[in-house]
Amino acid sequence: MQVLDRGEGGCAEPMSYSPKLAAALSGATLRQLAHWRKASASRGAVLIPEISVIRPILYSFRDLVALRTCVKLRNDTSLQKIRRALDTLRDDLQEREHLSAYRMVADGSTIYLVEPGQATDLVHRKAHVVIHEMVDVLRPFYRDGRHIPDLLRPRDHVTVDPAIRGGIPVIEGTRVPYDEVAALLRDGIPAEQISKYYPSVTAPAALDAKDFADYVDSYDPPREPREAAAG
């Protein structure tokens, strides 16, 4: 049985993440994000982006924490049960906080809302006393063989801080966005010369920025055959 813990943190600047970056930092696929934004015939949506639900679709940092929770739950149970559990949470228990505010656990057969001293079965709507192992949802995990990085430190020299640059990944100890450094390397600038452009960015940090950028780009949707031929 695995418990999914929430993350906390203040935010000094507006935070927003594109679907591709939200996918890379949460472990969800772009198709899952699109599917989870929609309500089913009988159930509500899994997670609607907090910043913008119309193009450009933008997710918040709290959304990322909630999405990582959903991805981990999906590893252990069906989407139908997740939707049922969320409907119980919102409609029956009248819990209206952002999904990132709750601790949930899946054991294969059901999903629990974990509170001090007990856990409520959100699928069968019963209260139980359970023994559970606390697992931090912000920490790295695997999803379908893919390594999903630590949310706050996706690479050794790349960090995510809700109070810095709106939570966009930056070079550790700086406000330099990872993608700006990665763009320089992709343009042929050697890692050892990045400091000429950004004095606070070391060569190892620049390489980490590019590695993370490559990882994020791996979430790009596959190109259609017609587009590939035209390109």
Side-chain angles (χ1 to χ4, degrees):
M1 186 177 293
Q2 185 181 69
V3 169
L4 309 179
D5 200 0
R6 65 186 175 91
E8 298 180 353
C11 55
E13 304 176 24
M15 298 171 289
S16 62
Y17 301 83
S18 67
K20 184 172 78 170
L21 188 52
L25 288 171
S26 70
T29 65
L30 288 173
R31 179 173 294 182
Q32 281 179 318
L33 293 183
H35 189 51
W36 292 352
R37 291 193 295 266
K38 301 176 182 177
S40 69
S42 57
R43 304 289 179 188
V46 173
L47 189 138
I48 298 174
E50 190 173 31
I51 303 297
S52 175
V53 297
I54 60 176
R55 296 186 183 278
I57 295 169
L58 297 172
Y59 290 86
S60 70
F61 182 81
R62 295 199 304 175
D63 289 339
L64 296 188
V65 176
L67 286 171
R68 288 173 73 98
T69 296
C70 292
V71 169
K72 284 197 166 188
L73 288 174
R74 188 64 185 86
N75 280 344
D76 296 320
T77 192
S78 67
L79 180 59
Q80 181 182 13
K81 287 183 179 178
I82 294 174
R83 288 187 184 273
R84 188 185 309 164
L86 294 180
D87 283 350
T88 299
L89 181 72
R90 295 160 178 164
D91 298 335
D92 295 356
L93 300 181
Q94 295 296 303
E95 294 287 351
R96 302 294 184 178
E97 296 294 327
H98 191 276
L99 187 57
S100 62
Y102 300 102
R103 296 173 178 176
M104 286 182 282
V105 54
D107 67 358
S109 63
T110 192
I111 297 171
Y112 296 99
L113 170 65
V114 178
E115 301 171 288
Q118 75 168 25
T120 302
D121 186 331
L122 295 176
V123 175
H124 305 103
R125 305 177 189 180
K126 298 177 181 179
H128 299 270
V129 176
V130 297
I131 298 174
H132 47 79
E133 175 189 358
M134 297 306 297
V135 176
D136 188 348
V137 73
L138 305 183
R139 300 298 298 166
F141 62 95
Y142 284 88
R143 167 69 169 164
D144 296 333
R146 182 195 285 267
H147 180 263
I148 310 304
D150 187 288
L151 178 56
L152 302 183
R153 186 178 289 274
R155 293 295 184 270
D156 286 344
H157 298 90
V158 177
T159 60
V160 173
D161 186 336
I164 297 176
R165 297 297 291 259
I168 295 301
V170 298
I171 303 301
E172 180 184 25
T174 78
R175 296 177 59 84
V176 179
Y178 79 96
D179 51 350
E180 293 185 9
V181 175
L184 290 175
L185 267 67
R186 288 172 172 176
D187 285 343
I189 305 299
E192 294 75 15
Q193 296 182 21
I194 293 297
S195 59
K196 294 181 179 180
Y197 300 84
Y198 297 106
S200 57
V201 178
T202 65
L207 293 173
D208 268 2
K210 184 179 181 301
D211 183 65
F212 180 63
D214 291 342
Y215 164 74
V216 172
D217 286 347
S218 73
Y219 279 83
D220 274 325
R223 300 176 65 185
E224 297 295 331
R226 182 180 303 176
E227 293 177 349

